[in-house]
Amino acid sequence: MTMEARSGKTARDVAIRRANAADAPAIVALDKATTGQSKPDYWRDMLEEFCGPKARRRAFLVAELGGRVVGFITGEIRAFEFGAEPRGWVFAVAVDPEIRVNNVGTRLFDEICGIFQSEGVEKVSTLIERDADLVLAFFRSQGMIFGRYIQMEKEIG
């Protein structure tokens, strides 16, 4: 258990801010802790793309607790999928497993939804693995339901 968790700090003690390139090591570590995969190049590219000057309809946020990054969320507003109306898409969310039950993910989700709303978007979507029970439970707890689109795939390699 982390010192923050033992001291009783919760989501209200968390500061949410825009991510920057210096956050890359913490984001890579959090992603590895939650997915089991290390993807440093992917996250550096995402930070560059989503935090740069062309990131107007994109958001990459981090949650800090006691000066340490303990969570992140990223997404963008898209409107090109087969005539779909503009909507916010959440691509990834992760919270340090040691403090996961303290509503940090909810704070991040609420913040990114606020960013999407400020751009005039009325819906938010995400795409997850069907057997990702923890992620599914999180998004359902945020009020998300199954939408009208069906994801399809094909092995190509």
Side-chain angles (χ1 to χ4, degrees):
M1 184 176 281
T2 66
M3 185 172 81
E4 291 87 358
R6 283 192 303 267
S7 68
K9 290 187 177 182
T10 63
R12 67 181 169 273
D13 301 307
V14 169
I16 307 292
R17 64 169 173 78
R18 295 243 178 212
N20 60 58
D23 296 319
I27 289 165
V28 170
L30 278 171
D31 183 52
K32 185 174 182 180
T34 58
T35 68
Q37 300 175 31
S38 181
K39 303 176 286 240
D41 293 337
Y42 173 79
W43 289 114
R44 279 190 213 96
D45 289 349
M46 286 288 286
L47 282 162
E48 184 177 312
E49 209 175 302
F50 279 54
C51 300
K54 295 181 181 178
R56 188 177 77 75
R57 295 172 60 90
R58 295 176 170 164
F60 201 136
L61 307 173
V62 295
E64 282 187 322
L65 183 60
R68 185 172 68 90
V69 173
V70 296
F72 69 88
I73 194 166
T74 187
E76 73 178 334
I77 297 170
R78 296 169 62 173
F80 60 83
E81 288 85 1
F82 299 98
E85 68 277 5
R87 64 180 60 215
W89 279 91
V90 174
F91 299 142
V93 61
V95 174
D96 182 334
E98 293 185 13
I99 64 165
R100 191 173 281 147
V101 297
N102 289 300
N103 293 318
V104 174
T106 297
R107 289 270 321 277
L108 286 162
F109 185 77
D110 288 348
E111 190 71 24
I112 203 167
C113 285
I115 290 169
F116 294 154
Q117 263 187 315
S118 72
E119 292 289 327
V121 170
E122 296 179 3
K123 290 185 181 180
V124 63
S125 296
T126 193
L127 183 67
I128 62 172
E129 292 275 344
R130 152 187 345 243
D131 60 351
D133 296 333
L134 184 63
V135 179
L136 180 60
F138 169 73
F139 283 116
R140 288 182 60 101
S141 76
Q142 301 309 306
M144 294 186 82
I145 60 173
F146 293 102
R148 65 183 184 175
Y149 297 98
I150 298 171
Q151 184 260 346
M152 297 179 75
E153 65 186 45
K154 175 185 174 182
E155 294 280 336
I156 59 171

